[in-house]
Amino acid sequence: MWSIYTALVFALVAASRFTPVYVLEFCQSTDPDCHDDTASNSHRSPHTVKSRWNVSVSNLMQDLGQFRVSCKKLIAFPLDEVDGNFVHAVKNCIFSESTPTPLKGPLRLAAVSKDVIEGILDLDVAVTQSDDFLQYASGGRLMLGSVPLAHRYGGHQFGYWAGQLGDGRAHFLGQYSNRKGEIWELQVKGSGKTPYSRSGDGRAVIRSSVREFLCSEAMHFLGVPTSRAASLIVSEEPVLRDQFYNGNVKTERGAVVLRLAKSWFRIGSLEILAQSGEIDLLRKLLDFVINEHFPSISSSDPDKYLVFYSVVVNETAHLIAQWMSVGFAHGVCNTDNFSLLSITIDYGPFGFMESYNPNFVPNTSDDEGRYSIGAQASVGLFNLEKLLGALSPVLTQKQQKEAKVILKGYVGIYQMRFHQMFKEKLGLLGEEEEDSYIIAFLLKMMEDTQSDFTMTFRQLSEVSVLQLYNRSFTQMWALDNLSLHKHFSDWLKMYLLRVSRQENDTDLDHQNRMKNVNPRYVLRNWMAESAIRKAEMNDFSEVELLHNILSSPFVTQQTAEEAGYAARPPLWANRLKVSCSS
Ligand code: AMP
Ligand code: MG
């Protein structure tokens, strides 16, 4: 059997690619009220998430004409003084006014999230069947109170400062204050050119829009902090795309996702201001973000920016650990795609890892594997360094030093979160010395045997201790595959002994706990692909099926089983590729 030393090396490799582990001296635990409600959970809680469906939904608005948003707070920032919706270098502002360009019709509603429409937007889902909805939710008509804006941001892309980026194909429509007292920012994506479109056409095609719609909703129900999607509308507007950048340009069709987040500000939102020396505006934006989204931070606290930084460091570590715990690779972890609220945003060439492999890279354009799944934690560190760079102009020398200490704590926080989550995935209670070894040992065996990440953990949750002991799990394809590893018996012995020491823990409780954190269904690429092929022919049934199934990823469902969503992936799945083209 391997030595403890070897296992610890695996644990570190599995957790990230860091070397030093620093003690966090400054970070305070995050105030549960200071974030998105899902973001503030110490860990995913599917039951809390699912209970949304049970919220009483009486008195929902039936008339879209009553639906009102507000832009007051955001247009209070200085706006771009250059008038006109054309590409230009933008200075001294946070937003440019920019009107969406209506998609060429006829428009079709391809998908709608009842949970978002009713639970967040207070609208009766029946209104989504109207022509009015198609117009409002695609940017063709503006809701009451809407002043459409495109946000100016920059970012580090693939390690290098890329200058001005900004919302090149998304429009902010307004903030909606719902009856629960939450404020959500509405955006349409794929809604036409803005001053930030650079050489792009301002559009998004059906395939990438289906992926964003399905994945952001799926992530929410997995308990991972994320933007949400209200609807997906497809058009007949031709959009040219070279999907794999190989000269094979095809005509696809334009689509718009109506998406929501508590805030769309990113690390790049601050970076562009710091890089351009617009320090007053940087301070203004920071104060706004802190006042609106970090209520535990006092506006009169001289260390407010430092405390803000410590919360973002903490929550980013948590977010990436959550991604890892469900095998999610974002694909493009540039600073412009990293939210200040530490939620998952800007779904592009993401992927859920199938065979366990820390080098899994979902984006075929990422030749060097910069954003491989195993590199995400260290990329998070890189991005947080860039955030610190953007904050430096508003920090004193002493605060800058303290911020560096906070950043050093990131590795330890991430490893702690990762450890906690994987312990939960294995149903382990309390803390024992060999827990890291048990986790790392399992992951190493999974890597050696190319075992399916999702289903190995899920099937481990679905067997009783006796079944495991007797190895009676031949019907369980992922577990069966794992058991072929030459050290499987050693691991099993250790795991079963560890579990047997858990007092007052019944087999049933153990299994239920594990089933609540190990999904049976995730949005595998082949599942999305199959739904996309149909959606491109105006058959949205599979998008709807997937959306429904992924709303309860921890519950075994007949329709999902029939569709093979928990089965061994089909052979053609291996040939699929996703790129940045969208
Ligand atoms: P992404 O990789 O999707 O995060 O996009 C990076 C930047 O490119 C952002 O500023 C986007 O708004 C912009 N962008 C991506 N696709 C398009 C497009 N088709 N038209 C205009 N801008 C785009
Ligand atoms: Mg982006």
Side-chain angles (χ1 to χ4, degrees), residues 266 336-337 346:
R266 305 126 196 275
D336 51 300
N337 290 334
D346 282 15

Side-chain angles (χ1 to χ4, degrees), residues 148-252:
L149 303 169
H151 173 42
R152 170 189 177 220
Y153 58 80
H156 278 83
Q157 297 194 317
F158 291 86
Y160 298 97
W161 174 243
Q164 176 179 305
L165 299 166
D167 290 330
R169 53 171 169 170
H171 289 86
F172 163 84
L173 297 178
Q175 292 184 313
Y176 178 67
S177 305
N178 72 12
R179 53 188 182 170
K180 290 182 205 155
E182 302 161 341
I183 301 178
W184 288 84
E185 293 183 0
L186 274 62
Q187 266 196 2
V188 272
K189 179 171 174 183
S191 44
K193 286 188 187 173
T194 76
Y196 309 96
S197 297
R198 299 179 290 160
S199 56
D201 57 9
R203 292 302 188 202
V205 293
I206 293 179
R207 67 186 149 77
S208 63
S209 307
V210 166
R211 285 167 56 84
E212 170 143 8
F213 176 87
L214 285 177
C215 196
S216 57
E217 286 303 280
M219 290 286 268
H220 169 73
F221 288 102
L222 285 170
V224 182
T226 177
S227 60
R228 303 293 308 269
S231 62
L232 164 66
I233 289 167
V234 302
S235 76
E236 292 295 331
E237 183 164 322
V239 175
L240 297 179
R241 287 289 182 273
D242 182 354
Q243 191 179 349
F244 296 111
Y245 304 110
N246 59 4
N248 189 9
V249 178
K250 283 196 181 146
T251 304
E252 301 190 45

